[in-house]
Amino acid sequence: MKPNTTNIRYYELTASEFNWKISEEKTVKAWGFNNSIPGPVLKANKGDMMVIKVKNDLREATVVHWHGIRLPSSMDGTDDVQRPIQPGEEFEYRFVVPDAGTFWYHSHQNETEQMERGMYGALIVEEDSNVITDEDRIFMIDDMKLTATNEFKEGNFFQRWFERHDGREGETLLVNGKENSLIKMHAGQMERWRFINASSAKYFRLHFEGKTFKIIGTDGGLLETAQEVNEVLIIPGERVEIIAGPFAEGEIFSIESLPYNRMTSIKPKRQKYATVKVGASKPSVAFIPENLRTIESLASHDAIVTRKVNFSVGPSWKHGINFLVNGHVHTGDKPVNVGELQVWEVSNTSLMDHPFHLHGFFFQVLEENGKPLDYKAWKDTYNLKPKSKIKIAWIPDNRPGRWMYHCHILEHHEAGMMAHFEVVDPMKGAMKHEHHHHACKN
Ligand code: C2O
Ligand code: CU
C-alpha cells in the first residue's frame, strides 16, 4: 500500500441566484457557484484528493457532476447515486483525481435550466509532463438565449417544441461568462488554451480566422502528438486543449465558431465569441515535446463488439418527439463486470447529431463508420453524426456502482436520451473482507 501522502484540496461551492453582468448592457438573474459564471476554477495535481463542500442556496434541489473524473460511483453527482442537495442543505464530495486534464463540473439536476443559467465551472488537474507554455488559460464556451429584457423565460408552446427538438441555442455568446471579451497576449509566445463547451446544444467549431493552431489534448488529457489544424469541432461537454501562437505584434483576430449544420431547424451561422489582440513581444520559455505521451490501445479496431447501443428519435403522443436509447426513454442497460473489456457499437439512426457522453470512464474510439481513427485519445464525449456509428473500447476498472451514458444536448437528455447501468464486481461476496482492509475509502 502507498504511504498516506495524498495532498488534499479543499473547496467550497455555494449555489445561489445572483445578478451577473455579461456586458455593459446585459445583466441576468444567473444561477451559479460563488456568485460567478463560471464558478471558481478548481485545481489539483494528479493524484490529489479533492474535498468539495457544495452548499445549496437555491430555491430548488441541485446536484453537482464532475464531468470526466474517474471517481467512485457514489461521488458522481447524479440523482441516481445520491439524494439531490435540497435548498439550505450541503453535501461534501470527496474523491481522488487520477488523471491529468481539463475537466469541468456542472449541475446535473434540472440541467436545461440550471446549466443554462450558469451552473458550471472548470476543474483542472495538472500533469507532471514536460509541456511548458508561457501561459495557461481556460475558455468556457456558452451561449444564452435571452429575451429582449435579458430574461431566460420559456417561450410559447411552439418555441418549447423546437427547443426540445433542436436543443436550446442563443445569441448571447459567452467566453468565461462574458460577451465580447478581449484577450491580450504577447507576440512570440505560446500559450496553452483549454476549451470547454458548457453550452446546452451549441456545436462550437473553433476557428481563429484561418490561423493555424495545435491540438495537444482532449477530454482525458494529452494526445500522443500535437496536431496542426485551423479549426476543430468542440461539441457540448467536450474539451480540447490547444497551443495558440506564436503570433506577431499587432495581430488582431477573433475566436469564432464556423457554421456547423447539425441537421436541426436552427440555421448554422458563423459567430464571433471574443477578440485576441497581440501586444509587444516577450521572450518565450515554451517547450512542446514531439511525443506528448504514449496511449496504449485497449483493443484493435476489429475487436468483437460486446454490446450495441442505439440513439434514435421516435414519435411521442404527448410531446411530438421522443429521444431514445435502444428504443426507450430514460432507460436502463445491462450491467458490465469489473475488469471486462467493453467493445460497444454506438449508433445514431436519427437524422441529427448527438454528443454521446459516458460517465466516470474514458473510452477509445476504435472505428467510425467502419474506419479506424488516425490518432489515439481518451474520450468521454464524442459526436455521433446523423446515420452513423462508432466502435468504442473501455474498461470498467474497480469502481462498482451505478453509472450512466447520455446525449449531452441537455434538452435531449431531459427528453429521454439516456441510460443507467451498473458496474458489478462478480467477486463481491468473496472480496468483502479484503476490501474492508485495503480500500482507500473515499
Ligand atoms: Cu456533463 Cu451527465 O454530464
Ligand atoms: Cu441529442
Side-chain angles (χ1 to χ4, degrees):
M1 236 181 122
K2 269 207 319 200
N4 193 14
T5 53
T6 315
N7 282 315
I8 306 184
R9 303 286 188 135
Y10 293 97
Y11 284 103
E12 274 186 33
L13 296 176
T14 302
S16 67
E17 181 177 277
F18 52 91
N19 290 324
W20 179 252
K21 206 167 160 189
I22 280 169
S23 63
E24 283 311 315
E25 310 78 48
K26 290 184 191 169
T27 297
V28 294
K29 272 263 172 289
W31 296 359
F33 299 101
N34 301 6
N35 297 314
S36 137
I37 299 179
V41 177
L42 309 184
K43 279 196 174 159
N45 291 322
K46 185 174 158 163
D48 286 354
M49 158 88 72
M50 300 191 85
V51 178
I52 306 160
K53 192 192 279 178
V54 177
K55 186 162 190 300
N56 184 6
D57 282 348
L58 292 169
R59 275 164 301 181
E60 62 180 56
T62 192
V63 71
V64 182
H65 171 57
W66 315 93
H67 184 127
I69 306 285
R70 293 191 300 136
L71 36 62
S73 155
S74 60
M75 293 290 127
D76 195 36
T78 68
D79 65 356
D80 196 35
V81 296
Q82 74 173 96
R83 179 175 166 268
I85 311 165
Q86 303 301 309
E89 285 186 1
E90 51 188 49
F91 184 88
E92 191 178 86
Y93 293 90
R94 241 170 210 277
F95 49 84
V96 168
V97 286
D99 305 290
T102 302
F103 305 102
W104 62 304
Y105 58 93
H106 63 76
S107 153
H108 214 280
Q109 185 83 6
N110 185 21
E111 291 160 60
T112 51
E113 179 162 20
Q114 293 190 3
M115 283 180 70
E116 173 73 359
R117 285 177 178 264
M119 290 181 68
Y120 58 76
L123 196 168
I124 306 297
V125 183
E126 237 116 20
E127 76 263 311
D128 38 13
S129 91
N130 36 7
V131 176
I132 300 162
T133 53
D134 295 306
E135 188 73 63
D136 194 324
R137 303 187 202 234
I138 301 163
F139 294 81
M140 285 200 94
I141 301 298
D142 190 11
D143 61 333
M144 281 179 179
K145 185 171 161 186
L146 302 173
T147 63
T149 52
N150 299 323
E151 277 161 295
F152 290 94
K153 177 172 104 249
E154 288 160 62
N156 61 34
F157 174 83
F158 292 99
Q159 285 166 317
R160 285 201 310 272
W161 190 93
F162 278 109
E163 215 166 279
R164 177 183 171 94
H165 179 274
D166 296 344
R168 180 170 168 127
E169 284 193 22
E171 297 297 323
T172 298
L173 308 177
L174 305 178
V175 173
N176 299 331
K178 299 283 179 188
E179 230 179 358
N180 300 317
S181 26
L182 179 64
I183 290 121
K184 291 184 186 159
M185 67 180 287
H186 289 287
Q189 295 206 323
M190 288 162 90
E191 300 193 353
R192 181 174 185 159
W193 290 3
R194 302 166 186 263
F195 285 86
I196 303 171
N197 186 341
S199 72
S200 307
K202 177 79 72 189
Y203 272 52
F204 181 75
R205 218 176 126 198
L206 176 65
H207 194 241
F208 299 145
E209 296 185 47
K211 290 183 191 306
T212 59
F213 55 90
K214 285 189 175 128
I215 303 175
I216 57 162
T218 59
D219 299 339
L222 297 172
L223 299 175
E224 292 191 306
T225 50
Q227 303 206 359
E228 190 163 290
V229 296
N230 54 31
E231 61 161 283
V232 60
L233 178 65
I234 311 174
I235 61 173
E238 200 175 25
R239 286 87 68 211
V240 170
E241 294 183 16
I242 66 157
I243 298 295
F247 301 114
E249 184 172 348
E251 284 190 82
I252 296 180
F253 59 92
S254 50
I255 298 181
E256 54 179 358
S257 174
L258 293 176
Y260 182 88
N261 187 358
R262 56 185 183 88
M263 308 298 277
T264 65
S265 64
I266 298 167
K267 199 167 170 286
K269 276 189 287 283
R270 183 171 182 166
Q271 292 169 311
K272 176 174 170 172
Y273 279 71
T275 306
V276 179
K277 212 172 158 184
V278 185
S281 87
K282 245 189 140 181
S284 172
V285 296
F287 175 69
I288 320 296
E290 189 74 36
N291 299 306
L292 297 168
R293 70 156 161 179
T294 307
I295 298 177
E296 302 295 341
S297 292
L298 289 182
S300 76
H301 76 94
D302 52 2
I304 290 173
V305 170
T306 60
R307 173 173 303 188
K308 290 188 176 181
V309 173
N310 173 245
F311 280 42
S312 70
V313 299
S316 156
W317 177 82
K318 201 168 147 205
H319 305 286
I321 185 165
N322 271 338
F323 288 81
L324 310 166
V325 170
N326 298 333
H328 300 282
V329 290
H330 299 282
T331 189
D333 204 341
K334 296 175 291 302
V336 301
N337 285 336
V338 167
E340 274 177 20
L341 175 71
Q342 301 298 308
V343 181
W344 290 10
E345 181 191 281
V346 186
S347 61
N348 172 13
T349 47
S350 78
L351 297 171
M352 63 175 105
D353 294 68
H354 301 286
F356 169 80
H357 171 49
L358 174 65
H359 275 219
F361 300 87
F362 292 117
F363 53 84
Q364 293 177 353
V365 179
L366 305 178
E367 280 184 356
E368 182 160 0
N369 293 324
K371 279 198 243 31
L373 299 203
D374 51 11
Y375 63 95
K376 278 186 262 179
W378 290 109
K379 297 293 297 167
D380 57 54
T381 308
Y382 195 86
N383 190 38
L384 300 174
K385 296 189 187 95
K387 294 276 174 203
S388 76
K389 61 184 179 203
I390 59 173
K391 189 152 100 177
I392 63 169
W394 64 281
I395 291 186
D397 56 62
N398 194 12
R399 287 173 297 127
R402 306 270 299 159
W403 299 98
M404 65 172 72
Y405 58 81
H406 60 81
C407 174
H408 219 287
I409 289 178
L410 305 180
E411 289 72 20
H412 294 176
H413 180 188
E414 182 178 81
M417 199 166 246
M418 64 90 63
H420 297 284
F421 67 97
E422 196 152 350
V423 172
V424 294
D425 182 351
M427 306 282 284
K428 209 174 177 185
M431 290 288 288
K432 262 233 164 87
H433 191 65
E434 266 286 290
H435 211 230
H436 193 77
H437 283 289
H438 293 294
C440 331
K441 262 228 120 205
N442 293 334

